[in-house]
Amino acid sequence: MSLFTKKGAEAVTSAQATKEEKVSAHVKFNAGTTLKVRFLSTTDSVEYFAHGLYSPTVPTFAPKVTPERNARGYVTSNPSVWDRAADLLYADAKAESDAKKAEELRRQAGNLKSKPRYLVGFVNLENGEQGFVDLTKKQADGIFAALAKYAKKLDKVAFELSKTGASTNTVVSLTPILDMDEDLTDKERENFVKVAGQPFDFEKFEGFVTMLDEAEQTKNLVIAGFDIARLGLSIGAASNASSTQSDESTPIEDGDEPEMTF
């Protein structure tokens, strides 16, 4: 098979063709941000499990080989490198007789353990486009509770979606805009009306989450300060670790760490 995919006039045409670039619908949502949005329903969201650290910084990622989980969220097979490392630290904590040392080991394990995150979709009234934000479980819980409260008024009420605080102490809030004539611009009101009846396009979530293979996860585990030799790993070497995981590791509730993506 030839290396060359096009030749002659076809090659020239291909080089001059305008390439269609996919624009992410993800809306940056740093602390201090307030978005004016319309929710098309109370359920325009997806859940995924991911790893990541605030300090040292390891941006949020999910493993390329997705672990299998039971209904309670426990990994039952194909655990990620980070989940296997967390299991070792949980075992260390269980064997540790010193209460303070055991607590520190559990904290370290919780930092490495995969946690649920949620992509929540809406219409950004600034431009009338569908978009989404990436939230921790605690942040998403608050948003979903507010949406449930106003479920019957979504066709009449816009919201301010805000993030306040700093570092790991961020808070996400959802506040209804009760006086839309006063608090929305003409363009924002126009966009609110324009999207009435639209379903949210779940395809917009695709491609957002950074997926890492085992080698890339291992490099990040070194950054996190874990001794990868305990897993039989080294940079550039394949793993000989087991691909199963027990239910002994309790899922750790997430904090309010800011989202971190590549």
Side-chain angles (χ1 to χ4, degrees), residues 84-109 112 226-227 230 249:
R84 298 202 300 266
D87 280 349
L88 285 178
L89 291 174
Y90 281 128
D92 290 346
K94 190 173 182 179
E96 178 58 60
S97 58
D98 185 290
K100 288 186 177 180
K101 290 181 179 179
E103 180 60 29
E104 173 60 19
L105 287 166
R106 283 191 290 270
R107 185 192 67 80
Q108 293 175 16
L112 299 183
F226 185 83
D227 179 8
R230 296 190 64 191
S249 301

Side-chain angles (χ1 to χ4, degrees), residues 27-72:
V27 179
K28 290 187 177 180
F29 195 43
N30 298 324
T33 300
T34 295
L35 304 170
K36 294 179 182 179
V37 301
R38 174 171 181 169
F39 286 91
L40 301 174
S41 83
T42 60
T43 57
D44 295 330
S45 179
V46 292
E47 176 190 77
Y48 70 101
F49 280 78
H51 303 277
L53 291 176
Y54 186 82
S55 180
T57 300
V58 176
T60 299
F61 71 89
K64 277 188 176 178
V65 178
T66 303
E68 294 182 16
R69 300 176 184 274
N70 62 22
R72 297 178 61 194

Side-chain angles (χ1 to χ4, degrees), residues 134-156:
D134 182 21
L135 304 177
T136 67
K137 183 179 186 301
K138 185 176 181 180
Q139 292 167 348
D141 280 347
I143 299 305
F144 295 149
L147 284 176
K149 181 178 179 180
Y150 291 96
K152 295 181 179 180
K153 298 181 179 179
L154 294 186
D155 60 340
K156 300 180 180 67

